[in-house]
Amino acid sequence: MLLWRGKNPNEGFSLYNGGGMNGTSQMMDFLEEPLPGVGTYEDFNTIDWVREKSRDRDRHREIASKSKESTWALIHSVSDAFSGWLLMLLIGLLAGSLAGLIDISAHWMTDLKEGLCLSGFWFNHEHCCWNSNETTFEDRDKCPEWESWSQLIIGHGEGAFAYILNYFMYVLWALVFSLLAVLLVRGFAPYACGSGIPEIKTILSGFIIRGYLGKWTLIIKTVTLVLAVSSGLSLGKEGPLVHVACCCGNILCHLFTKYRKNEAKRREVLSAAAAAGVSVAFGAPIGGVLFSLEEVSYYFPLKTLWRSFFAALVAAFTLRSINPFGNSRLVLFYVEFHTPWHLLELVPFILLGIFGGLWGSFFIRSNIAWCRRRKTTKLGKYPVLEVLVVTAITAVLAFPNEYTRMSTSELISELFNDCGLLDFSKLCEYVNDFNSTTGDVLPDRAAGPGVYTAMWQLALALILKVFITIFTFGMKVPSGLFIPSMAVGAIVGRLLGVGMEQLAYYHHDWTIFSGWCSQGADCITPGLYAMVGAAACLGGVTRMTVSLVVIMFELTGGLEYIVPLMAAAMTSKWVADAIGREGIYDAHIRLNGYPFLEAKEEFSHKTLAMDVMRPRRNDPVLTVITQDSMMVEDVEAIINETTYSGYPVVVSRESQRLVGFVLRRDLIISIENARKKQDGIVSTSIIYFTDHSPPLPPSSPSMLKLRSILDLSPFTVTDQTPMEIVVDIFRKLGLRQCLVTHNGKLLGIITKKDVLKHIAQMANQDPDSILFN
């Protein structure tokens, strides 16, 4: 068997170096002008990186040579060079504008579940009370202009009936928002669900999923993301914003010919768009570039790094200009900690890292098990019902607890907060001792009743978040994982931070505290522990390291706390990797059977190319095309009888010496076109792939020359090449397949799917799971 045979008849992999595309101007055959469709790809196929790069080099060489001939050609050359930067500018502007729109809309619709602003229904709760003259600083979230649903319906907000009415309206709005979200996704853009990052990683590795980055997906994802976040489900908008930004990049690529016609160039743009997505998600432009480099991108040249930086900068600037948070700050959770951390605090920070790694592994295994059940049972047939049930459970359990009722971003912001003199949150209800207060710095104090109430409420919130997120991620609505993961870590961090603070307050004479934590000093910052815990849990789930630390310090502005963040992120990665090597995105890629070769994993098995190549010992012989002795009807019979996406071309069946490789799609288009446009082409016409036509009797029908669609330099390895090297070649060159030879004779072929199946087999996994589903 020549190529892997899947559900899609064209789902094989092939390589084309562009060798046959060059130097064809002297060949007077009908393919002198490129045919529409030749060199393009079917849906659910992998692109040929080597061919695409070769075509781009040819195009660039042609523009450069012409630029010396005329002024117009020089202007065209300059505009071609500048088009990449212009595209980055447009992506940044569009991604920043959409992120601002999503932030403002989500904030307003989240508050709509609790009440309405009388002075203007378009104001959210915070903005409504900003304009009020009767708001006091202590009750800054209460003002006559904002009324709860019970005040609007029955005229007062106190009492059991008013509470039940508010409860009912909260659950009702949550159900309406989630129902709208799932119906829009199901009806208009099925690809708009989930976070989108696993699919974007796969697309950036060269796989084609048509429509995944299209305009309908962009519109529906933007609208349903607002609805899903507003419904109160345990999900975030940050991951899906990467998908939104990549949709912007893909759509804007169609404005420029060099990106529209070259799949490899388009993937460079999508890498930069992913950076812009993280930039606007967190207000972290540098973290966005590093996220794209570390986590998402497959091919990331230096030029893409610069362009990613520019796109992220423009996107962040656009979002800052819109000012969706109304505080003139770009960052999501700005913190101002006044106390430096002490070396001994690294112990609790590392403990948070261990918790983050353990929770990350538990979450990945549980979520993948649930998603597999959804795929393989009847549960998957009822996505609307599943979303409504999970929303109802989340809303019913969330409303009684103020820490789960508020949006997850607000919760994280409160947990990161360092208690000052003007804070009136429950988390800051300490026993005041004003005699020892110096300036703005508050000493460690005994916890008051409000802190103890907040502790058990946070513990309940933690249990809800830990379990409900498992069932939420992967439903048929846009769902990000960054914010729920950070919330789990921030709650654990805050609980540990308050525990450490009280321990230091009541036992400041202990040896561990005596050197740096005297009585009346301000030495423990619970908000810092929340920040470190958030980083640890996010690292445990995604396995990010460098980009995570940079995102966290950009997100909070806490530059001096880089070492605690690094310690927690590294510990969580080590612990999580010890339990299971895959992050959540890689696990979902494997679950969905996408053809993705993970660059981070080492292949250490001692197998050879001959062990993996097709045909195997009992398989049918290799299907090949000869260079100058087959008729049109013979080639058409081969195409109709097989589902392979390409065929090796050999000198003759006897010699089996390799000439090149031809794609099935290119063959079909070329033969169809020749029958229509070239006189004398019939079923008995000889097809030849050589420079010179073979000698034939005068009465023979016209011959068909197809040399220009032949790849004259297919990638080959010998049958004794170790698979370790073959896997490396596939990863680094982005090959679709390579041919296997022995003493120059063609033996077989190895496709990308053969490599993936072999890796799965070596890891004792089901090799048939490598199938796009």
Side-chain angles (χ1 to χ4, degrees):
M1 185 167 160
L2 171 60
L3 284 183
W4 180 89
R5 200 183 294 226
K7 286 183 182 177
N8 186 317
N10 300 310
E11 203 170 336
F13 296 86
S14 64
L15 175 70
Y16 193 145
N17 286 358
M21 306 294 272
N22 307 332
T24 56
S25 55
Q26 293 79 21
M27 300 179 191
M28 299 304 292
D29 63 275
F30 85 103
L31 278 175
E32 203 169 272
E33 289 299 314
L35 283 177
V38 169
T40 59
Y41 304 95
E42 295 278 356
D43 202 4
F44 307 133
N45 262 268
T46 298
I47 71 161
D48 194 324
W49 287 93
V50 184
R51 174 174 74 169
E52 296 297 310
K53 296 302 291 177
S54 171
R55 283 164 67 178
D56 185 60
R57 274 197 301 273
D58 291 347
R59 184 196 60 80
H60 190 72
R61 211 174 282 128
E62 190 182 344
I63 290 172
S65 64
K66 283 184 180 175
S67 65
K68 296 164 187 171
E69 294 171 11
S70 68
T71 311
W72 174 247
L74 181 64
I75 293 168
H76 178 241
S77 171
V78 171
S79 69
D80 181 75
F82 183 67
S83 61
W85 295 101
L86 178 60
L87 182 54
M88 294 303 128
L89 177 70
L90 294 174
I91 290 169
L93 290 169
L94 186 54
S97 304
L98 285 175
L101 178 71
I102 289 168
D103 284 335
I104 292 164
S105 308
H107 202 163
W108 173 69
M109 287 173 72
T110 302
D111 289 348
L112 193 62
K113 290 186 299 187
E114 296 188 26
L116 202 62
C117 186
L118 300 180
S119 57
F121 73 89
W122 56 88
F123 288 125
N124 62 41
H125 193 163
E126 190 179 3
H127 289 169
C128 189
C129 290
W130 272 359
N131 300 329
S132 174
N133 297 321
E134 300 175 43
T135 309
T136 61
F137 189 83
E138 286 188 36
D139 292 326
R140 52 188 178 274
D141 59 339
K142 292 176 185 168
C143 58
E145 286 84 354
W146 179 267
E147 290 199 351
S148 66
W149 288 109
S150 62
Q151 288 173 311
L152 284 164
I153 296 166
I154 59 171
H156 62 86
E158 303 299 323
F161 184 64
Y163 181 83
I164 291 166
L165 187 60
N166 284 332
Y167 202 152
F168 173 75
M169 291 302 291
Y170 180 91
V171 176
L172 181 67
W173 276 114
L175 288 168
V176 168
F177 291 155
S178 63
L179 178 65
L180 275 172
V182 71
L183 289 178
L184 285 169
V185 167
R186 196 179 177 201
F188 296 99
Y191 284 153
C193 66
S195 88
I197 292 179
E199 286 76 13
I200 283 163
K201 280 186 79 164
T202 310
I203 288 168
L204 288 178
S205 77
F207 197 55
I208 289 176
I209 310 177
R210 298 224 183 278
Y212 199 84
L213 300 175
K215 56 182 181 298
W216 268 113
T217 306
L218 174 63
I219 294 164
I220 298 300
K221 186 112 184 182
T222 305
V223 174
T224 54
L225 184 52
V226 173
L227 290 164
V229 170
S230 307
S231 68
L233 284 164
S234 183
L235 47 83
K237 61 182 183 301
E238 283 63 25
L241 274 173
V242 175
H243 186 185
V244 167
C246 285
C247 286
C248 296
N250 185 56
I251 291 162
L252 290 168
C253 274
H254 289 282
L255 300 175
F256 302 89
T257 314
K258 86 171 175 185
Y259 295 106
R260 183 172 68 245
K261 292 189 173 178
N262 193 299
E263 292 286 354
K265 293 294 288 178
R266 195 183 304 181
R267 273 152 183 76
E268 290 178 26
V269 172
L270 295 179
S271 290
V278 175
S279 172
V280 291
F282 292 114
I286 302 169
V289 175
L290 289 172
F291 174 81
S292 181
L293 174 61
E294 181 182 0
E295 191 60 31
V296 187
S297 296
Y298 198 80
Y299 173 67
F300 203 85
L302 197 58
K303 184 169 61 178
T304 305
L305 179 73
W306 299 330
R307 287 184 177 168
S308 301
F309 187 74
F310 179 62
L313 167 73
V314 173
F317 175 76
T318 307
L319 187 66
R320 169 68 182 76
S321 306
I322 295 169
N323 194 15
F325 308 117
N327 57 6
S328 298
R329 287 204 181 102
L330 181 63
V331 296
L332 201 53
F333 313 117
Y334 186 75
V335 293
E336 285 184 282
F337 299 145
H338 302 290
T339 318
W341 60 279
H342 194 269
L343 197 62
L344 285 169
E345 286 183 280
L346 276 177
V347 176
F349 294 152
I350 288 169
L351 287 176
L352 285 172
I354 293 169
F355 171 80
L358 292 172
W359 184 75
S361 298
F362 165 73
F363 173 80
I364 291 166
R365 290 193 176 191
S366 310
N367 179 252
I368 292 297
W370 178 251
C371 289
R372 189 171 282 117
R373 177 171 284 272
R374 185 189 287 130
K375 269 180 174 299
T376 54
T377 62
K378 286 185 177 177
L379 180 69
K381 295 177 183 173
Y382 306 105
V384 177
L385 185 63
E386 184 193 6
V387 169
L388 288 177
V389 168
V390 173
T391 306
I393 293 169
T394 307
V396 167
L397 294 176
F399 186 83
N401 186 341
E402 65 177 284
Y403 291 110
T404 45
R405 190 190 316 168
M406 64 174 69
S407 75
T408 317
S409 295
E410 281 180 62
L411 169 64
I412 295 170
S413 199
E414 183 143 327
L415 292 168
F416 282 7
N417 186 34
D418 186 23
C419 292
L421 286 167
L422 301 175
D423 279 303
F424 294 95
S425 156
K426 261 193 208 168
L427 282 168
C428 296
E429 277 190 28
Y430 289 92
V431 177
N432 281 317
D433 180 12
F434 289 113
N435 297 330
S436 60
T437 302
T438 54
D440 288 336
V441 178
L442 289 172
D444 285 345
R445 297 161 290 162
V451 174
Y452 289 113
T453 308
M455 290 300 100
W456 68 259
Q457 284 184 329
L458 282 173
L460 291 175
L462 175 67
I463 295 165
L464 176 65
K465 291 279 181 197
V466 161
F467 289 103
I468 207 73
T469 309
I470 290 167
F471 302 101
T472 308
F473 188 69
M475 290 197 308
K476 297 297 178 193
V477 290
S479 52
L481 201 55
F482 283 65
I483 291 292
S485 304
M486 286 174 68
V488 168
I491 293 171
V492 172
R494 188 78 189 203
L495 293 172
L496 181 63
V498 172
M500 283 290 293
E501 183 188 47
Q502 295 307 299
L503 197 66
Y505 176 75
Y506 287 111
H507 302 285
H508 56 84
D509 51 344
W510 282 9
T511 312
I512 55 168
F513 296 121
S514 58
W516 58 286
C517 203
S518 57
Q519 190 171 12
D522 175 28
C523 46
I524 304 281
T525 309
L528 171 60
Y529 285 72
M531 190 166 99
V532 172
C537 280
L538 187 52
V541 171
T542 61
R543 308 297 159 87
M544 297 191 300
T545 49
V546 182
S547 55
L548 171 66
V549 172
V550 175
I551 286 171
M552 285 304 297
F553 86 70
E554 280 191 280
L555 186 64
T556 55
L559 186 59
E560 61 192 287
Y561 302 107
I562 265 191
V563 173
L565 289 170
M566 287 171 76
M570 209 62 243
T571 308
S572 75
K573 181 173 167 56
W574 283 336
V575 170
D577 279 351
I579 300 168
R581 297 288 298 175
E582 288 179 323
I584 187 68
Y585 303 129
D586 298 324
H588 272 272
I589 285 171
R590 191 161 59 83
L591 177 72
N592 291 323
Y594 298 135
F596 181 78
L597 265 174
E598 178 54 69
K600 297 170 192 167
E601 289 179 14
E602 292 292 321
F603 183 86
S604 54
H605 304 282
K606 292 184 176 179
T607 48
L608 301 175
M610 62 188 294
D611 303 324
V612 182
M613 73 174 192
R614 304 293 179 95
R616 301 274 165 80
R617 196 160 288 163
N618 300 322
D619 288 345
V621 293
L622 197 64
T623 305
V624 294
I625 294 172
T626 56
Q627 66 175 354
D628 58 5
S629 60
M630 290 180 79
M631 293 185 286
V632 169
E633 61 185 7
D634 300 331
V635 173
E636 285 180 331
I638 286 175
I639 289 168
N640 293 330
E641 288 164 13
T642 61
T643 57
Y644 315 138
S645 72
Y647 307 93
V649 177
V650 293
V651 173
S652 66
R653 290 188 187 280
E654 294 73 37
S655 79
Q656 289 286 312
R657 295 186 74 83
L658 184 65
V659 176
F661 193 84
V662 65
L663 292 181
R664 170 200 188 91
R665 181 179 169 82
D666 291 356
L667 266 178
I668 294 169
I669 292 169
S670 304
I671 292 171
E672 279 178 5
N673 197 69
R675 280 186 181 274
K676 287 177 194 168
K677 297 185 179 176
Q678 196 174 349
D679 294 334
I681 297 296
V682 290
S683 295
T684 53
S685 297
I686 297 287
I687 292 180
Y688 69 101
F689 294 93
T690 53
D691 273 330
H692 308 289
S693 59
L696 286 173
S699 58
S700 299
S702 299
M703 289 191 294
L704 175 56
K705 183 176 182 180
L706 294 183
R707 186 175 174 82
S708 63
I709 64 165
L710 180 67
D711 174 13
L712 291 166
S713 53
F715 207 94
T716 58
V717 294
T718 69
D719 54 342
Q720 295 300 311
T721 307
M723 272 309 290
E724 195 174 352
I725 293 172
V726 174
V727 171
D728 238 15
I729 290 168
F730 268 89
R731 277 185 189 141
K732 289 174 180 169
L733 292 181
L735 300 187
R736 300 174 79 191
Q737 97 289 308
C738 73
L739 301 171
V740 183
T741 60
H742 177 74
N743 293 341
K745 287 187 177 182
L746 180 65
L747 275 190
I749 191 164
I750 300 175
T751 69
K752 189 175 180 182
K753 279 201 174 154
D754 291 330
V755 171
L756 287 160
K757 282 187 168 189
H758 183 65
I759 290 171
Q761 220 167 355
M762 292 289 104
N764 295 320
Q765 294 164 358
D766 176 20
D768 291 328
S769 65
I770 309 301
L771 163 71
F772 174 67
N773 183 8

